Structures are given as C-alpha cells and as structure tokens.
Amino acid sequence: MGVLRLQLPTDPRWVNIVEKNIEEILTDHAWCEQKAATNAITIITNNSEHQDLVKDLLALAKEEIDHFEQVHNIIIKRGLKLGRERKDDYVNELYQYMKKSGDGSRVSGLVERLLFSAMIEARSCERFKVLSENIQDEELAVFYRELMESEAGHYTTFITYARKYGVGIDVEKRWREWLAFEESIITNYGKGETIHG
C-alpha cells in the first residue's frame, strides 16, 4: 500500500478474528460508513465558501451513505441484524490528536480535519485490501475489493484539498507527522472484529 504511505501493515491474521463474528464486523463497518458521511457534511458546513470542496464532498457523502446501505443490505440478506453504533477507539485517538494539533486558525482547522479524514480512509482502504485478499467468504472478498478502490479515491480527495487550501502550511511535513502518530497507535489495534479494532 505504498501510495497510502502507511508505516505499519495490518497482520493478515486479523481476518481470522473477523471471520469468527461476521455480524459484528458488518455492523461496525456500516456505522463507519455513516460516520464518514457525517464527517464529510461537517467539513462542508464549516467550509462552505469553497465551492469545489462542497461539490466533491457532497458526492463523497452520498457514496458513503450508499456504502452504508450496501452493508445493511448484506446484513439483511444474511438474516443478521444491524447492531447499535460502536465506539471507535482508533478514530477517537486520531480525533484527539487533530484537536491538539491545530493552531486555532480556520486554515489550520481545515487542513487538520482533511488529514484526519485522509488517515481514516487510508487505514480503512488498507483493511479492506487485507479482508479482500484473506477472507474465505467469496461475496465479502469481492465486496471489500470494490470498496477498497472507493476508499482510495476518498483518501486522494482529502489529501488533494489539504494541499490546495493549506496556504502557509507545510502540508507534506504535517502529513508525515500524521503518519508517524498513526504508526504509534495502530500497534494497539488489529485484535478485534471491527474495521479499525
């Protein structure tokens, strides 16, 4: 996953944990998609003056909701139930890092939110790749392969806008710091049947 520049790959044995509780991974995944749509809408709300950003993130939010529906349909088809929303400790750690990292300016706030979003998409993309290549369930292998490509596109969207609107900020340096922080926390994950767990 060189293009994503993640510092630490997911151990493929994580899929063995996932396969023991498909209902849990699907529920967690559905809520990840819903939260991703909400995050895109939040960025639009706070940065509505950027017409191109609004247009692209509206499309992204629609796609995330479509993914939510696709996962929900798989849950229904398999006679499973969509459980309650799950807390995502990985995303919460990234969120706390984002909150502490900005300098208080609107530009910094936007760049931090975009890099936070890019990081989640990058790791989700990597996890979907690991799932698609290692899960025994053929339907889910194909499904996660398709979603992996979509997540890669979302990652690119967020990184591109961070570079475009990060005037006066060394976005590349900041992204390297995000990657280093993510590496420091990801070692605690990959042990549960959730997308980031």
Side-chain angles (χ1 to χ4, degrees):
M1 306 279 356
V3 69
L4 301 174
R5 293 165 58 190
L6 295 172
Q7 306 298 295
L8 201 63
T10 297
D11 186 331
R13 288 175 297 181
W14 164 69
V15 178
N16 301 334
I17 298 166
V18 166
E19 288 179 312
K20 290 175 186 157
N21 196 341
I22 294 295
E23 186 169 27
E24 181 62 27
I25 189 76
L26 290 174
T27 285
D28 181 72
H29 178 193
W31 289 116
C32 284
E33 299 292 357
Q34 179 273 325
K35 287 178 224 176
T38 301
N39 178 59
I41 295 296
T42 299
I43 296 171
I44 289 169
T45 303
N46 294 332
N47 302 279
S48 56
E49 69 275 19
H50 301 306
Q51 214 167 49
D52 53 351
L53 178 92
V54 171
K55 187 169 176 289
D56 286 346
L57 290 196
L58 273 172
L60 188 149
K62 286 178 189 174
E63 201 167 274
E64 300 288 21
I65 285 297
D66 181 56
H67 292 167
F68 179 94
E69 184 178 25
Q70 287 180 50
V71 180
H72 189 234
N73 287 341
I74 291 172
I75 289 169
I76 293 167
K77 181 176 151 192
R78 293 178 176 225
L80 305 173
K81 285 203 165 51
L82 175 65
R84 303 292 294 172
E85 183 187 346
R86 308 307 199 236
K87 186 175 159 208
D88 192 325
D89 292 327
Y90 167 80
V91 170
N92 286 338
E93 283 198 63
L94 293 179
Y95 184 79
Q96 291 308 317
Y97 180 69
M98 173 187 70
K99 277 183 70 173
K100 289 184 282 194
S101 297
D103 66 11
S105 70
R106 285 198 75 228
V107 172
S108 173
L110 174 58
V111 167
E112 288 303 308
R113 189 72 184 222
L114 291 168
L115 295 182
F116 160 78
S117 305
M119 181 54 64
I120 296 167
E121 296 289 351
R123 182 54 72 182
S124 298
C125 178
E126 190 261 356
R127 287 283 165 95
F128 291 168
K129 181 175 191 289
V130 172
L131 276 169
S132 72
E133 292 174 350
N134 295 281
I135 201 162
Q136 299 300 309
D137 186 311
E138 282 186 33
E139 180 190 28
L140 292 181
V142 171
F143 179 63
Y144 280 111
R145 175 79 199 175
E146 289 169 357
L147 257 59
M148 177 195 83
E149 292 163 9
S150 175
E151 300 296 300
H154 296 171
Y155 155 80
T156 302
T157 297
F158 288 123
I159 284 282
T160 300
Y161 277 113
R163 289 175 180 142
K164 179 172 184 176
Y165 288 116
V167 180
I169 295 171
D170 188 339
V171 175
E172 290 309 310
K173 177 175 179 282
R174 190 67 198 115
W175 182 236
R176 288 194 298 274
E177 291 166 358
W178 267 96
L179 288 164
F181 176 74
E182 202 266 356
E183 181 186 13
S184 76
I185 67 166
I186 199 63
T187 52
N188 302 319
Y189 299 96
K191 303 173 180 83
E193 59 276 347
T194 58
I195 296 299
H196 303 122

